Amino acid sequence: LVGAAPSPRWPVLLPPLMAANEQAPIISLAQLARFLRKPVGAFFRERLQVHLEDERSELHDEELFGLGGLDLYQLLDHELQHVPVELNADTLPAHVQQVVQRLRQAGALPLAGVGTLEAQKLNARLQAMLGTALREREEYPNLAERLLIDLPHEEVTLQDALGNLLVGEGGHMSLHLRASDLASFKTKKPFAYAEKLIDIWLLSLAAASMGQPVQCVVVGRNAVLRVHEQDQKQNPEVARALLNELLSSWAEGMRWPLPLPPDVALQWLKEKDNRNALTDIYEGSEFKIAAKDKDPALARTYPTLEDLLDTHEFERLAQMVYEPLKAWAARLHIVPLPDAPDDDSSDEAGDQA
């Protein structure tokens, strides 16, 4: 265990998973990403075999998308993960119309006149998002072979295969579509919502650790993000060292429920002395859903911010796990989504840089 022992609230650590299973467990990038989003939930689910979440609470982004709310977000995100490979500029309008029609038939859009207006707005935004994605793909016309990831650690092994990589004259690219806002443009310099990009960060790190630079591009509801060149071409040894730190945090998180909700950690890294902001994020406010309510296991284990901080481990873990994520997100190249329609939705003011 790295650092000081947990507080008396958790006086006994469970044995390492390696000791319990007599061999080092193997995890995937998706499994590591789920842990980093909800460490306490992962401890309950993977170590205690206690499942407190339902399918909806598995979403790591609970924002509303238009009037349809979470159901629309969930259905739309599914559609964006299953865009036909053969889609092109000529077939784009018909495809978008079919997607919007499926969403209306699924009851994710309001009925009558309001629903028609929402469908028109959604149609325009999907055209902008998918059109942007198609333009990004033009310089990477071919599908690359899967990139195998194999990173042994003393207590756990990270193994995966990166599929759906595109290749062209510019090298390799990994293209992603997201239904949510990805950045805020309210400040002089736009900033990305780092907690929404944990999986992209891990993918970029894993590729770099194998000596294979991959350009990661994320097209979201309001922005297009590109990973900075220095992170794409990071020294493999440096990338592996950082992934080893994250694997150490996973191994520790399988021994006790780490007090480490990412949005609270990122806010603390931004303003370490602003306790009121931490309380608003963790326990909720009139304008923001409580971080603890996004993870039933977290709420049960640490009912208040004081319970979280009383472990005396939050600051150490936040520095180790989320300081590198925050620095990586600050280097992202961020531009507004091209051709996006105007609407009256606003950036999530409560999200953290």
Side-chain angles (χ1 to χ4, degrees):
L1 181 65
V2 179
S7 73
R9 184 181 179 88
W10 296 95
V12 179
L13 296 174
L14 295 181
L17 271 177
M18 186 172 179
N21 299 333
E22 298 184 350
Q23 61 182 4
I26 297 173
I27 64 172
S28 66
L29 285 168
Q31 194 171 350
L32 182 57
R34 285 195 301 270
F35 166 78
L36 293 178
R37 291 188 190 112
K38 297 180 179 180
V40 178
F43 173 77
F44 272 68
R45 182 177 59 253
E46 298 182 33
R47 188 62 198 264
L48 302 184
Q49 300 295 306
V50 174
H51 298 263
L52 298 178
E53 298 182 328
D54 59 25
E55 186 177 355
R56 291 164 63 93
S57 64
E58 273 294 301
L59 289 169
H60 61 276
D61 186 339
E62 289 81 2
E63 73 189 51
L64 300 184
F65 195 107
L67 295 179
L70 187 56
D71 288 332
L72 174 57
Y73 171 84
Q74 191 172 21
L75 291 167
L76 184 59
D77 203 55
H78 175 81
E79 292 285 353
L80 290 174
Q81 305 315 312
H82 297 84
V83 176
V85 176
E86 65 276 9
L87 186 68
N88 57 49
D90 293 331
T91 59
L92 176 59
H95 172 73
V96 169
Q97 191 171 4
Q98 290 173 358
V99 169
V100 173
Q101 185 62 25
R102 283 198 293 270
L103 294 173
R104 295 195 75 171
Q105 291 173 346
L109 288 170
L111 300 174
V114 176
T116 299
L117 180 61
E118 285 294 300
Q120 291 172 348
K121 289 182 179 180
L122 182 57
N123 187 299
R125 191 164 297 277
L126 281 174
Q127 293 248 22
M129 293 174 67
L130 292 174
T132 298
L134 289 175
R135 289 191 293 273
E136 292 288 339
R137 287 179 53 175
E138 287 176 355
E139 296 182 14
Y140 300 86
N142 301 312
L143 191 64
E145 293 184 3
R146 294 192 307 166
L147 175 61
L148 299 181
I149 306 298
D150 189 0
L151 188 67
H153 176 277
E154 59 185 9
E155 294 187 68
V156 58
T157 297
L158 178 66
Q159 287 185 353
D160 213 325
L162 303 184
N164 299 317
L165 295 179
L166 302 173
V167 64
E169 292 185 5
H172 289 71
M173 181 179 74
S174 182
L175 180 62
H176 304 263
L177 284 153
R178 297 287 165 84
S180 63
D181 287 348
L182 296 179
S184 172
F185 295 94
K186 291 183 176 182
T187 53
K188 184 175 181 180
K189 180 184 177 182
F191 64 84
Y193 298 134
E195 66 273 22
K196 297 184 180 183
L197 301 166
I198 289 172
D199 58 331
I200 306 299
W201 177 49
L202 293 178
L203 188 156
S204 182
L205 270 178
S209 75
M210 295 293 108
Q212 176 59 72
V214 173
Q215 167 66 296
C216 294
V217 179
V218 191
V219 179
R221 184 179 184 275
N222 74 333
V224 181
L225 310 183
R226 292 179 180 83
V227 173
H228 194 280
E229 186 175 1
Q230 79 177 66
D231 291 300
Q232 296 175 47
K233 300 179 179 180
Q234 190 172 41
N235 182 295
E237 292 297 327
V238 174
R240 281 196 287 270
L242 181 48
L243 280 170
N244 264 296
E245 285 286 293
L246 298 177
L247 291 174
S248 292
S249 72
W250 183 90
E252 182 180 351
M254 291 299 105
R255 302 186 67 189
W256 72 291
L258 299 191
L260 195 62
D263 38 7
V264 179
L266 288 163
Q267 172 60 37
W268 178 78
L269 289 166
K270 180 182 178 183
E271 296 181 283
K272 296 183 179 179
D273 296 326
N274 193 340
R275 181 63 65 90
N276 289 336
L278 292 182
T279 302
D280 286 346
I281 290 174
Y282 190 72
E283 299 182 18
S285 66
E286 183 180 355
F287 305 104
K288 187 165 183 65
I289 300 173
K292 66 176 184 177
D293 291 341
K294 300 176 185 179
D295 181 357
L298 178 64
R300 176 177 293 191
T301 308
Y302 304 111
T304 69
L305 179 68
E306 290 303 316
D307 294 320
L308 192 83
L309 299 180
D310 282 349
T311 62
H312 304 297
E313 295 292 325
F314 170 78
E315 295 183 5
R316 169 182 70 87
L317 293 165
Q319 290 277 11
M320 180 176 75
V321 176
Y322 292 114
E323 182 64 50
L325 170 64
K326 182 175 181 291
W328 171 86
R331 293 189 294 269
L332 291 170
H333 179 65
I334 307 169
V335 297
L337 177 70
D339 305 321
D342 293 331
D343 63 17
D344 55 3
S345 69
S346 60
D347 295 320
E348 300 106 312
D351 284 284
Q352 308 305 314

